[in-house]
Amino acid sequence: MDPKYKNLTTAEAAESLSRLAGQPYDLTASGALTETDRIERYICETGPFRMLYATQRVDDDVLNALQALADQCALTAQFKEMRSGAVMNRIQGFESEERQVLHTATRDVFGDTAAAPAESARARDELTKLKEFLTDLENGKITNAEGESFTTLVNVGIGGSDLGPRSIYEALKPFGISGRSVHFIANVDPDDAADVLSRVDLSRTLINIVSKSGTTLETLTNERLVIEQLRAAGIDPAKHCLAVTGEGSPMDDPDKYLRSFYMFDYIGGRYSSTSMVGSVMLGFYLGYDQLLEFLKGANEVDQAAETIPDIRSNLPLLLALIGVWNHNYLERSTVAVLPYSQALHRFPAHLQQCDMESNGKSIHRDGSQVKIKTGPIVWGEPGTNGQHAFYQLLHQGTEIVPVEFIGFIKNQRNLDLIVEDTTSQQKLFANLLAQSIAMAVGRLHENPNKKFEGNRPSSLLLADKLTPHTMGALLAIYEAKIVYQGFLWDINSFDQEGVQLGKVLATRILKLIKGMGVEDNELENRFLKVAGNGSSSRIAR
Ligand code: G6Q
């Protein structure tokens, strides 16, 4: 374990929390929510978001113990260390990535007080390059061979080079420059590329190839596939393709691309949405000024996450601690993120990666085996759709699922209608509050089928409207939550060895499909034969 810091197994506060977990606050007791000013008091604000958490199974004693835990584990100090460029990505005594973790530098570009000045300066240089490129697109300096403007961008990337950017694009669709659109190709399934390519006019399309390593099988395969299509349409790929990659990667070859942008070693894929990985696509779609608004929203939260040790005034910190309370003390295995905003429909998918790839770990930072539970299973879908699907289990199932609801007072677009005296947005918001209250309070009924036990905890994360600024803040709130929880569990949240083994085996199976290496790969070969219904050659072309 990192000897410098206490964690959930060594902090004194952990004992008080175990004791308090024996009798968590009963939300179903008469007057539990109304007889005090709990609803008004249990609110935490950071940037444009407020979190209402009266419907969690916490009281002042639990909050005080969580505060003590945060202090004893020096959570904000560790966050500050990360943001200032300390090497965080390591397992002591064992080979590991040994890197700084500085996704925060990609948005620490305003003013001259950057926490990691050299890295923020590099981020600023990339932004300047991007701004020039966007201006050239705007004023017609860069066009297709016919002198027409580019209207479309196809993003080719997978994992961290896809999920975050895609979910943010989906969230900010109404803010795009008129006439522009973005599409995404991620899966190596050729039908994914075929579907996207059938919907775009290649002559007006930029292809943005995004790969930090420049070696990812899916992305390189899809790059080749798209390039072949461009050539077949008589288009010079070098005049339509952009690259976002790590400096020195095999894709770092500016002559092959119309423009190349860099992301750096110290930015993890799943934390890279505010680097060039997300910024090239967002800059194209939203324009440079709105891209900056998005980055500002994230930066505002980072600053709070580093400087506010009071858990009642630091939203991501409280979100992380309540998450640990539910997961480690009340023993809930999953957490549902349920946005009451259709625009956020891909955000839970991004969080699944960011959270589960970061905190799905079983060893401490010193290489010793963990004896506590680390990252929960994260899942979710937008409301109200989910209400007509899996909420049955949330209300009456045997598995208790803590919920993080996300909602907005205003809708993004202009279309809304008053039906039976309320707008659609009001209906959406009413449902959001209703679900949170129903899960907490439950319902008594003499018919057991109609009885709701209650005591199902949730928080409500609310902002005025989903804009580039609030989206940046929301992204950074969740990134900080994940990072704090990693500190609490004393795990390395920043590598992803777990995804390597499957890649190695897939490479071995591909060799077999090519007719190579049969002798060395009995296990894979036998699976391949059975899967290919008796012959591996059925899978070969
Ligand atoms: C994220 C992971 C992983 C990565 C993809 C794509 O943190 O490392 O999801 O983003 O494997 O990697 P490249 O960007 O290198 O193609």
Side-chain angles (χ1 to χ4, degrees), residues 158-161 210-214 216 219 268-270 353 357 496 503:
I158 195 165
S161 296
V210 186
S211 176
K212 176 180 171 181
S213 63
T216 301
T219 302
R270 55 193 172 276
Q353 173 183 35
E357 201 168 54
Q496 53 286 314
K503 280 192 195 174

Side-chain angles (χ1 to χ4, degrees), residues 27 33 38-46 48-58 314-316 318-319 322-323 326 335-341 344 383 387 391 401-409 427-441 456-464 474 477-478 481:
L27 297 164
L33 284 174
R38 179 182 170 92
I39 296 174
E40 292 72 23
R41 229 165 25 93
Y42 282 8
I43 298 178
C44 177
E45 292 187 41
T46 294
F49 276 90
R50 283 176 304 139
M51 179 166 79
L52 277 53
Y53 58 98
T55 42
Q56 288 287 348
R57 301 199 68 184
V58 296
N314 179 338
L315 196 164
L318 186 59
L319 190 63
I322 291 179
N326 284 326
V335 55
V337 179
L338 307 177
Y340 275 62
S341 157
L344 286 175
Q387 286 176 214
Y391 278 40
V401 181
V403 177
E404 292 165 6
F405 290 108
I406 302 171
F408 302 92
I409 313 281
K427 291 180 178 73
L428 178 70
F429 202 75
N431 270 281
L432 166 67
L433 295 184
Q435 290 300 326
S436 178
I437 296 168
M439 285 176 192
V441 177
R456 290 159 192 247
S458 67
S459 295
L460 291 163
L461 274 81
L462 303 173
D464 193 45
L474 185 64
I477 283 173
Y478 271 94
K481 171 200 174 187

Side-chain angles (χ1 to χ4, degrees), residues 124-136:
R124 245 184 251 119
D125 289 347
E126 290 307 302
L127 279 168
T128 306
K129 260 165 63 182
L130 177 60
K131 187 178 179 188
E132 282 164 10
F133 173 64
L134 295 174
T135 308
D136 287 351

